[in-house]
Amino acid sequence: MNMMHVISIPYSLMKVNPLSWIQKVCQYKAKVACVKSRDMHWALVAHRDQRDINLSSLRMLIVADGANPWSISSCDAFLNVFQSKGLRQEVICPCASSPEALTVAIRRPTDDSNQPPGRGVLSMQGLTHGVIRVDSEEKLSVLTVQDVGTVMPGAIMCSVKPDGIPQLCRTDEIGELCVCALATGTSYYGLSGMTKNTFEVFPMTSSGAPISEYPFIRTGLLGFVGPAGLVFVVGKMDGLMVVSGRRHNADDIVATALAVEPMKFVYRGRIAVFSVNVLHDERIVIVAEQRPDSTEEDSFQWMSRVLQAIDSIHQVGVYCLALVPANTLPKTPLGGIHLSETKQLFLEGSLHPCNVLMCPHTCVTNLPKPRQKQPEIGPASVMVGNLVSGKRIAQASGRDLGQLEDNDQARKFLFLSEVLQWRAQTTPDHVLYTLLNSRGTIANSLTCSQLHKRAEKIAVMLMERGHLQDGDHVALVYPPGIDLIAAFYGCLYAGCVPITVRPPHPQNIATTLPTVKMIVEVSRSACLMTTQLICKLLRSREAAAAVDIRTWPPILDTDDLPKKRPSQIYKPSDPETLAYLDFSVSTTGMLAGVKMSHAATSAFCRSIKLQCELYPSREVAICLDPYCGLGFVLWCLCSVYSGHQSILIPPSELEINPALWLLAVSQYKVRDTFCSYSVMELCTKGLGLQTESLKARGLDLSRVRTCVVVAEERPRISLTQSFSKLFKDLGLHPRAVSTSFGCRVNLAICLQGTSGPDPTTVYVDMRALRHDRVRLVERGSPHSLPLMESGKILPGVRIIIANPETKGPLGDSHLGEIWVHSAHNASGYFTIYGDESLQSDHFSSRLSFGDTQTVWARTGYLGFLRRTELTDANGERHDALYVVGALDEAMELRGMRYHPIDIETSVIRAHKSVTECAVFTWTNLLVVVVELDGSEQEALDLVPLVTNVILEEHYLIVGVVVVVDIGVIPINSRGEKQRMHLRDGFLADQLDPIYVAYNM
């Protein structure tokens, strides 16, 4: 238009030769050059070899990004070096522009070279509160800004408050600059709503009157109009972060980070600063590209210096500082960092940093106050008849055993050994047990008489070869199967007390054998019975490396039995004498053995028989480990008492053939089946994609009436629902799946059974639960937690909910400890140390007021009872028991009670690569261990996501995040996480983690 000669230098050429623009200025004696501060910076770095540079022809050196407050340093440095090459100070002309308003302001060259350009030294502290405070240059916490000249000819400029209605700022306030001019953009194409917000703004005075009839345009620049109409820009709207009510600019934070030994560790232009919303406030995140040659130690030193610098200059904490490998951040077309995409990658967990430092402890200051425990109210004001503070006392019971008339022949015998002899005489050929192998074919079976004869021979062996007296303890170390059952009844026939022990794993002797040895020693076993194969294993060289094999008690091999029968079968003198010991490792890593008397064992079998309606004509499929709790009772005892046929499926066989259990259930047309969570998980994960092919093979689950998960924990509702949904197409009725609940003091308190209403689910507020309160909410409400009823209370069992501290009874729908009174309670712990206080407290507690006569056993689990609208088998209204979690496992943090499973559920949802998670506390710090299913470069993505989700959902700050390989979190045979073992491994540095992040 005005015949100017324009020389354009492409970015790609600048990258190869940063001085090309200066060379062109000299060559053409150019009057005007339009550059960015980046070009000036590059020219400074590269100019040393150039001699013949002369910039005296320049009349205007326009700095296109003069609106960036940090361009002043490039301008000053450039002037400093090139003043000797003919560059005059007044030639440098910063300008401010924005995509919407185009050129907003530009400094024009003055004729008077003595008049210095406008500068402002502003207090950072003042800027965060949105006000202008002039400060001295000596301080570190100041921002020096240069003016970008005056408003364009014919334009009007004002500054308005950045948020809310566009109200004019006062003269000492920072606001968003708005212009009213002809040469600007007019709208966003196709975005009418955003256009109205940006291009049609009518600034108002404090009284609410518009200052002009013409619309203004928001420039997206933050600044103020200074003396003599000079415009100063201090930042951009899209880089504005409001943390705890104070404003911080991303560019300022970048500049501070780069001022910390910049060129050594990170690339100058490759740093992104943005904020993410966590727990109702913005949190600052810094992501920088790290140079390939910097070591991890160097990076951490740099990171901690950056944190200190930002804290002292800006008085703000950085939530997360992440370093990524060079050239991995998303770029804009011009080579800068794509901010919104970087933020998106960070939030999705796809940024793949190589170093992360999280500082939630220092910068999250808006957590709710820790809970103060209030003193309890006394009994007098609580108890009125059967009401506790206006509510019905939370107590419930199963059907009364005394009033149930059934043709139970086994009732006339006091001892299981007598029941077996009676069955061997009356129905000798009736099959009691069928053991399946991994192919689904029958590996072994036992009729009543076969079991009786085999037990007799084992009794002879114990008396003759073992020289055992009645009352001696015998450890049974067998794989799940028929031998274990025969050995158990052999012990009863000889008057010995059996203890079932899981055999050591041949591939993992070092970790599994010490547990076997410990149980054998703690139970004071006089002898150990096993198969020939395990006998060799216990004496092998590998075993000798793990334990002292010379101290084993005598080992009897039952593969080689004597031919003769015993002269007489032992009959106990008193039903209260010991029948067997049940040893189990709890989730907190405690080995606890409980004593089961003959009377309790018979009552237990009778209770299960009535609940599940078990008769000789019935078949029950059992896929459980037969070593402790209800699993052992179902595997070894119930068939002898009730006479039904048990189809035994060892869970280990499912590792070879995951469909084995369900195929057996279908093939034998089983109506009742029992499994563990680990079996259910194996089926859900292993058969998820095979339902069509299983259907084609004729798998039919429509006859299943009850499928019970045997557990000692809160029902895992997501797993049972996934299982039900997955196998619905194969005929499984969704109401068939339920759970049982047992613990050390009573091996089965609840079991769904055949009659009675379906299991109910309620939703409780997780925040109230932390305060030991139950607040029922609607499904889908925020912070809601689904709890499924743990089956029906067994016949002969009474339950009450008591306060674990005061031992007073609680009301309906109040959270407390579950106490149980029943004929099949265990009679106490079997310990060699005889810790009497625990014994009396756990097995014979009494309420502090109310019914103080009944003796209760304390389960150690928190839960609540709730009277429902449903009707149970007696025609009464049904009381549902909901188990919340073990008191031993619960973590006291910030005065509140947290259950690990709730935090773990949140973490597993946080990222697709987290397969399993376990949490525990260590010196008041919350430690989160996550198993990573993915490449190791994803490990550090998990650290911010785990920290965020726990802050958001649980109001807790994570102390340590440990990322480990799959299979590191130890899980017991019931599928429960062994969090205390994991904690020990963590403290002993044995986890071999991929990454450990200590949050500051």
Side-chain angles (χ1 to χ4, degrees):
M1 227 158 41
N2 50 14
M3 306 299 285
M4 284 200 303
H5 180 187
V6 178
I7 295 137
S8 174
I9 300 164
Y11 177 62
S12 50
L13 178 60
M14 285 288 299
K15 274 164 85 174
V16 180
N17 176 10
L19 277 177
S20 49
W21 72 273
I22 291 187
Q23 289 162 354
K24 292 289 175 245
V25 168
C26 299
Q27 184 183 342
Y28 291 97
K29 298 205 168 32
K31 298 257 188 319
V32 181
C34 183
V35 295
K36 282 183 137 180
S37 29
R38 179 189 63 204
D39 308 328
M40 296 161 84
H41 176 76
W42 282 4
L44 280 177
V45 178
H47 84 282
R48 290 191 178 80
D49 341 328
Q50 296 290 330
R51 292 208 174 76
D52 46 351
I53 292 178
N54 184 358
L55 300 181
S56 58
S57 66
L58 276 179
R59 196 165 54 84
M60 277 183 96
L61 177 58
I62 299 172
V63 185
D65 59 347
N68 181 343
W70 298 96
S71 63
I72 187 170
S73 55
S74 295
C75 294
D76 287 354
F78 190 79
L79 180 67
N80 219 356
V81 168
F82 288 100
Q83 216 161 3
S84 58
K85 316 266 187 191
L87 181 71
R88 303 190 301 285
Q89 176 179 6
E90 64 273 16
V91 163
I92 295 178
C93 297
C95 85
S97 61
S98 84
E100 292 80 12
L102 309 183
T103 306
V104 176
I106 186 164
R107 191 196 292 171
R108 289 182 176 69
T110 52
D111 298 332
D112 181 6
S113 58
N114 298 325
Q115 185 193 344
R119 286 187 175 230
V121 180
L122 308 178
S123 149
M124 286 273 194
Q125 181 75 11
L127 287 177
T128 63
H129 293 288
V131 292
I132 302 158
R133 291 286 176 269
V134 178
D135 215 325
S136 61
E137 270 200 41
E138 291 73 64
K139 290 190 181 166
L140 276 172
S141 55
V142 292
L143 175 68
T144 306
V145 286
Q146 61 184 352
D147 71 279
V148 287
T150 50
V151 186
M152 300 299 285
I156 311 170
M157 179 183 283
C158 66
S159 84
V160 299
K161 304 220 160 142
D163 34 21
I165 54 168
Q167 200 179 357
L168 279 185
C169 291
R170 299 211 175 110
T171 48
D172 67 343
E173 285 181 330
I174 303 281
E176 182 177 7
L177 299 177
C178 295
V179 292
C180 174
L182 293 171
T184 58
T186 52
S187 66
Y188 291 123
Y189 180 70
L191 300 169
S192 52
M194 284 176 71
T195 294
K196 200 164 182 58
N197 266 343
T198 306
F199 291 92
E200 298 169 25
V201 177
F202 291 92
M204 296 179 194
T205 60
S206 54
S207 61
I211 60 165
S212 159
E213 57 188 288
Y214 297 109
F216 279 67
I217 293 174
R218 290 182 185 272
T219 62
L221 300 174
L222 284 169
F224 59 96
V225 181
L230 292 177
V231 179
F232 290 86
V233 177
V234 297
K236 290 197 184 88
M237 278 297 287
D238 63 0
L240 190 65
M241 303 176 292
V242 183
V243 181
S244 307
R246 287 170 55 215
R247 301 182 201 157
H248 301 275
N249 221 294
D251 289 332
D252 300 348
I253 307 263
V254 168
T256 305
L258 287 177
V260 181
E261 301 181 20
M263 306 314 276
K264 241 181 188 171
F265 300 111
V266 296
Y267 292 101
R268 185 182 175 88
R270 313 289 303 150
I271 190 161
V273 173
F274 51 87
S275 64
V276 292
N277 199 303
V278 181
L279 196 67
H280 320 304
D281 201 356
E282 295 293 314
R283 313 284 174 195
I284 295 177
V285 178
I286 302 178
V287 182
E289 284 188 359
Q290 173 180 301
R291 290 181 175 271
D293 47 354
S294 52
T295 66
E296 198 165 336
E297 199 175 322
D298 290 343
S299 319
F300 270 108
Q301 264 188 346
W302 180 80
M303 286 157 99
S304 47
R305 281 189 196 143
V306 166
L307 293 177
Q308 285 166 359
I310 291 173
D311 185 48
S312 64
I313 292 171
H314 302 273
Q315 274 101 49
V316 68
V318 174
Y319 179 64
C320 175
L321 214 168
L323 293 178
V324 296
N327 268 329
T328 54
L329 287 180
K331 294 187 172 90
T332 58
L334 282 178
I337 285 181
H338 200 304
L339 248 182
S340 57
E341 216 168 290
T342 304
K343 180 174 175 176
Q344 193 55 37
L345 289 175
F346 174 80
L347 291 172
E348 282 172 3
S350 321
L351 196 60
H352 307 329
C354 48
N355 269 312
V356 162
L357 190 55
M358 300 281 301
C359 310
H361 289 282
T362 47
C363 77
V364 176
T365 52
N366 62 335
L367 281 172
K369 282 202 176 98
R371 171 188 175 205
Q372 304 289 313
K373 287 264 172 81
Q374 300 302 324
E376 294 289 338
I377 44 178
S381 57
V382 170
M383 191 85 189
V384 188
N386 253 4
L387 296 177
V388 177
S389 52
K391 288 211 169 188
R392 197 182 63 84
I393 286 186
Q395 57 183 344
S397 51
R399 288 176 290 168
D400 188 346
L401 279 176
Q403 290 172 357
L404 286 169
E405 281 309 317
D406 60 314
N407 54 354
D408 189 350
Q409 297 293 310
R411 270 181 77 184
K412 54 182 191 267
F413 302 107
L414 287 173
F415 307 102
L416 265 181
S417 50
E418 294 181 311
V419 178
L420 178 57
Q421 292 167 57
W422 165 69
R423 289 203 184 281
Q425 280 162 2
T426 53
T427 54
D429 299 326
H430 175 64
V431 177
L432 285 179
Y433 295 101
T434 306
L435 179 74
L436 301 185
N437 59 21
S438 60
R439 290 190 301 282
T441 51
I442 295 175
N444 213 332
S445 67
L446 273 183
T447 63
C448 299
S449 71
Q450 283 170 334
L451 177 56
H452 168 66
K453 285 172 182 165
R454 187 109 193 255
E456 284 186 322
K457 290 174 182 172
I458 289 170
V460 170
M461 186 182 202
L462 283 168
M463 292 186 265
E464 292 188 354
R465 289 190 206 163
H467 309 297
L468 298 186
Q469 312 295 315
D470 53 347
D472 278 348
H473 296 183
V474 179
L476 312 180
V477 187
Y478 288 93
I482 300 281
D483 292 342
L484 176 71
I485 301 167
F488 178 84
Y489 289 99
C491 288
L492 295 191
Y493 279 12
C496 299
V497 177
I499 300 107
T500 49
V501 186
R502 176 191 304 280
H505 197 291
Q507 270 79 51
N508 197 359
I509 284 189
T511 51
T512 53
L513 191 63
T515 310
V516 176
K517 188 88 165 64
M518 185 161 68
I519 296 176
V520 169
E521 284 171 0
V522 170
S523 63
R524 288 186 271 186
S525 296
C527 150
L528 191 153
M529 280 207 293
T530 184
T531 62
Q532 200 166 2
L533 204 66
I534 294 171
C535 187
K536 285 179 183 160
L537 192 66
L538 295 178
R539 295 195 170 116
S540 65
R541 281 165 67 179
E542 292 88 345
V547 298
D548 181 3
I549 57 172
R550 293 167 304 183
T551 56
W552 285 120
I555 300 177
L556 298 180
D557 158 19
T558 50
D559 288 352
D560 169 31
L561 288 174
K563 298 284 183 284
K564 61 190 214 183
R565 294 172 58 187
S567 50
Q568 68 185 65
I569 290 173
Y570 176 82
K571 183 178 176 183
S573 52
D574 177 11
E576 292 308 320
T577 55
L578 201 52
Y580 71 97
L581 291 177
D582 185 302
F583 270 88
S584 158
V585 178
S586 76
T587 47
T588 51
M590 296 252 310
L591 175 70
V594 293
K595 300 187 277 196
M596 288 295 287
S597 67
H598 287 281
T601 306
S602 298
F604 198 171
C605 291
R606 172 161 161 70
S607 192
I608 291 172
K609 171 185 163 54
L610 292 167
Q611 190 81 333
C612 301
E613 298 177 3
L614 300 174
Y615 306 107
S617 57
R618 298 284 296 284
E619 289 175 338
V620 174
I622 297 164
C623 190
L624 287 167
D625 273 321
Y627 300 108
C628 61
L630 182 55
F632 163 74
V633 173
L634 290 165
W635 190 281
C636 285
L637 312 183
C638 286
S639 270
V640 168
Y641 186 91
S642 309
H644 62 276
Q645 181 183 347
S646 289
I647 296 155
L648 307 175
I649 304 151
S652 52
E653 303 286 9
L654 264 69
E655 289 167 20
I656 307 160
N657 176 9
L660 172 66
W661 166 50
L662 295 177
L663 285 167
V665 167
S666 168
Q667 183 189 340
Y668 288 92
K669 302 182 173 53
V670 168
R671 289 175 70 187
D672 301 280
T673 180
F674 295 86
C675 71
S676 63
Y677 278 125
S678 24
V679 165
M680 194 168 263
E681 197 160 19
L682 199 72
C683 291
T684 311
K685 285 182 177 168
L687 305 175
L689 302 169
Q690 297 177 28
T691 45
E692 285 306 313
S693 62
L694 289 170
K695 202 170 187 177
R697 283 168 70 183
L699 182 67
D700 175 22
L701 302 176
S702 59
R703 290 185 192 81
V704 175
R705 187 171 55 169
T706 57
C707 168
V708 178
V709 187
V710 172
E712 297 189 7
E713 58 179 300
R714 178 203 300 177
R716 296 190 205 169
I717 195 160
S718 58
L719 179 57
T720 54
Q721 282 177 349
S722 309
F723 180 80
S724 303
K725 277 182 194 154
L726 189 59
F727 296 107
K728 191 173 110 187
D729 292 349
L730 297 173
L732 181 67
H733 198 287
R735 293 205 299 256
V737 180
S738 64
T739 64
S740 72
F741 172 64
C743 59
R744 290 286 72 204
V745 298
N746 185 317
L747 305 178
I749 296 168
C750 301
L751 177 63
Q752 183 58 33
T754 46
S755 57
D758 296 325
T760 54
T761 298
V762 292
Y763 292 83
V764 297
D765 185 331
M766 210 187 308
R767 291 165 304 182
L769 217 51
R770 291 172 205 149
H771 294 270
D772 289 343
R773 291 197 302 271
V774 176
R775 185 170 150 250
L776 298 179
V777 292
E778 290 297 317
R779 178 183 180 173
S781 355
H783 299 281
S784 64
L785 172 74
L787 291 177
M788 186 165 91
E789 184 185 348
S790 293
K792 300 291 169 281
I793 299 167
L794 281 168
V797 174
R798 275 176 66 199
I799 283 174
I800 196 160
I801 305 293
N803 182 316
E805 276 88 35
T806 64
K807 299 191 178 180
L810 292 170
D812 193 71
S813 294
H814 276 57
L815 187 71
E817 187 181 7
I818 302 166
W819 288 17
V820 56
H821 171 84
S822 136
H824 65 256
N825 274 5
S827 41
Y829 287 123
F830 178 83
T831 47
I832 31 181
Y833 315 108
D835 188 342
E836 295 311 316
S837 63
L838 263 182
Q839 186 83 3
S840 61
D841 189 40
H842 287 195
F843 287 90
S844 46
S845 273
R846 292 173 198 268
L847 291 171
S848 54
F849 58 91
D851 166 13
T852 54
Q853 297 311 305
T854 311
V855 175
W856 301 89
R858 299 179 62 169
T859 62
Y861 282 81
L862 287 173
F864 60 95
L865 277 167
R866 179 172 167 267
R867 179 150 278 187
T868 66
E869 297 302 316
L870 304 167
T871 311
D872 63 21
N874 310 343
E876 304 279 325
R877 274 178 67 189
H878 167 63
D879 292 304
L881 174 70
Y882 300 94
V883 177
V884 171
L887 273 163
D888 289 353
E889 290 261 276
M891 303 180 293
E892 283 273 338
L893 291 163
R894 307 187 70 252
M896 292 176 281
R897 201 193 302 270
Y898 286 88
H899 296 277
I901 185 72
D902 297 327
I903 299 175
E904 290 159 1
T905 305
S906 298
V907 171
I908 289 171
R909 279 202 318 263
H911 193 276
K912 62 180 188 305
S913 300
V914 179
T915 54
E916 192 51 277
C917 163
V919 299
F920 51 84
T921 51
W922 166 53
T923 62
N924 283 341
L925 284 178
L926 178 64
V927 181
V928 181
V929 181
V930 287
E931 287 186 1
L932 170 73
D933 177 17
S935 63
E936 292 199 358
Q937 68 185 55
E938 287 180 33
L940 278 81
D941 284 318
L942 304 180
V943 178
L945 295 183
V946 166
T947 309
N948 292 358
V949 77
I950 294 178
L951 253 175
E952 285 270 356
E953 295 186 11
H954 303 279
Y955 306 149
L956 288 177
I957 294 178
V958 179
V960 189
V961 180
V962 187
V963 184
V964 294
D965 293 307
I966 294 178
V968 169
I969 295 171
I971 286 176
N972 68 12
S973 60
R974 293 191 295 274
E976 297 164 339
K977 294 170 199 167
Q978 303 283 290
R979 295 181 185 91
M980 290 306 120
H981 281 319
L982 184 68
R983 185 178 185 273
D984 296 342
F986 168 73
L987 295 178
D989 202 15
Q990 292 164 347
L991 298 186
D992 188 21
I994 299 169
Y995 191 81
V996 182
Y998 292 92
N999 288 348
M1000 286 167 68

